[in-house]
Amino acid sequence: MNDVICAQISAPGMAAVSLIRISGMGAIDLISDFFSKPDKLKNSPGGRILFGDFIDPDGRVLDEVLLSVFRAPNSYTGEDLIELGCHGSVSLTQRILQALLTRCRLANPGEFTLRAFMNGKMDLSRAEAVNDIIQASALRAETAALMQVKGYLSNHLQMMLKKINDARLRCELAIDFADQDLPQIDMDDLAARLDELIGLARNLYDEGSHGIKLRDGLRICLAGSPNVGKSSLFNALLKQNRAIVTDIPGTTRDYLEESFSLQGNPIVLIDTAGIRESEDSIEREGIARSHELMKSADMMLYLYDTEEFIFPDELSEFEDKTLFLASKSDLNPQRELKAGHIPISVVSENGLKKLTDSILDHLNLPEELANYPLITNTRHLAALKSALSALEGAKEALTMDAGFEFIASDLILAASKLEDILGVVPTDELLGEIFENFCIGK
């Protein structure tokens, strides 16, 4: 883990500047062998930027470079680290990398962040959030990930761990000194402590479903008969002509899926085949796939353009998560609608405002995410659910007077589940699963 690694950390392709990161024990001495001012680099304190030439092993000057110097432990990885900036030619960047790889190895995906975790620069929840920032597709997803990187979730979980361990300590003292003539543990105080912990865990868990939607996007499925305007709405929400729009029924036979940002919230929008009886085997397959997509969607938008609204029986199982949209309202503005149905028009100014407001209401996230601990990761949510179950088990053991041993056992389990989120004692398998999804260079 201490060997020197390197990787391009800027996006591949031609640009004004390329950045290459080099980290590990001896990284600064290694780079000095390629730098035109080796002594200046070797003697440089951390937090300095040096200008000079990059010289390959054959003595040729490849480029003028800027070296940002970081000395352990005050670096991203906690090791000696250099970030090398060169001109953004693809071939030039590759030649510099090839020269470096004669003396060090290419970093694995996520290895810089893995080293940061292993060297105590961040816990596992914060390390995972680094990748969430990179993958974020909308402003609020970026904000939620940044709050995790800054440690808002980590600090909240650390606070809960301390409270769990305080309660467990009281139970273990009661067990260890049960035969001593000492004051008995305050059962009401212990019950209050458990109730507080259950409340903290439940609130965090209940917000978790919203947090995951914030990270992965709210999945919205468009449904309705052919030619009711699904593809037109799809294009209007995306603000691009992604789906083919014609007056021929059944144009959309397979589904289309695209992501967009709605007032900073990530949305995954799915345009499906029109629901109708069809003799066309390809169209029937498209309709069957549409039904499966509706099952997995967080919300369904059902469009109709007729005076009389009829909701197909085969879609009744999705009614609770459906918004009903009276499409093409510009053609019939006087149409009477059922309560809760939303008129929409893709050609009128503000013709979709009521719809977008309803979608945001459904997302139901707090307006201000700053200083707000939020679970946005399914692994974290599963661990938190187990912790909550263990805390409820501890409270039940207390209520049933089952004994301090059972209460302490449940509290130990609850603490271990929170420690799983923080990566207190991670397994190699877990670390592999997490960091293999990172890009090389992070």
Side-chain angles (χ1 to χ4, degrees), residues 12 35 49 55 68 125 168 204 214 271 280 381:
F35 192 51
I49 297 177
I55 303 169
S68 300
S125 68
R168 177 180 58 82
L204 197 57
L214 192 59
D271 185 19
D280 188 309
L381 195 64

Side-chain angles (χ1 to χ4, degrees), residues 19-167:
L19 286 177
I20 298 171
R21 178 179 286 161
I22 306 98
S23 181
M25 186 180 297
I28 293 174
D29 286 343
L30 184 152
I31 296 301
S32 69
D33 292 341
F34 296 94
F35 192 51
S36 59
K37 304 170 185 176
D39 292 337
K40 189 172 182 179
L41 175 56
K42 288 179 181 179
N43 296 322
S44 173
R48 297 292 177 86
I49 297 177
L50 305 181
F51 173 76
D53 294 333
F54 186 93
I55 303 169
D56 74 6
D58 295 324
R60 293 173 298 188
V61 174
L62 295 186
D63 195 14
E64 294 179 331
V65 297
L66 287 175
L67 302 184
S68 300
V69 182
F70 303 88
R71 290 194 177 270
N74 301 314
S75 72
Y76 180 76
T77 59
E79 305 169 327
D80 285 346
L81 184 148
I82 286 180
E83 291 185 354
L84 182 155
C86 63
H87 291 96
S89 158
V90 175
S91 61
L92 176 59
T93 304
Q94 288 302 310
R95 284 202 300 275
I96 292 176
L97 268 174
Q98 287 167 8
L100 292 172
L101 290 172
T102 63
R103 297 283 303 280
C104 60
R105 68 173 175 84
L106 186 67
N108 294 318
E111 188 170 0
F112 292 109
T113 304
L114 173 60
R115 290 188 175 202
F117 166 69
M118 298 300 290
N119 291 325
K121 301 296 289 185
M122 60 181 72
D123 62 43
L124 196 55
S125 68
R126 293 170 70 180
E128 289 173 281
V130 170
N131 200 37
D132 289 344
I133 288 182
I134 296 170
Q135 302 290 340
S137 60
L139 174 61
R140 303 194 79 204
E142 294 166 5
T143 303
L146 180 60
M147 292 304 101
Q148 287 202 27
V149 169
K150 284 183 170 292
Y152 287 96
L153 175 61
S154 175
N155 293 340
H156 190 74
L157 294 176
Q158 292 283 6
M159 175 270 292
M160 290 178 63
L161 266 175
K162 184 178 184 305
K163 290 178 179 292
I164 290 173
N165 289 332
D166 285 347

Side-chain angles (χ1 to χ4, degrees), residues 5 101 217 258 306 342 389 415:
I5 57 174
L101 290 172
E258 291 287 346
T306 57
I342 302 169
S389 177

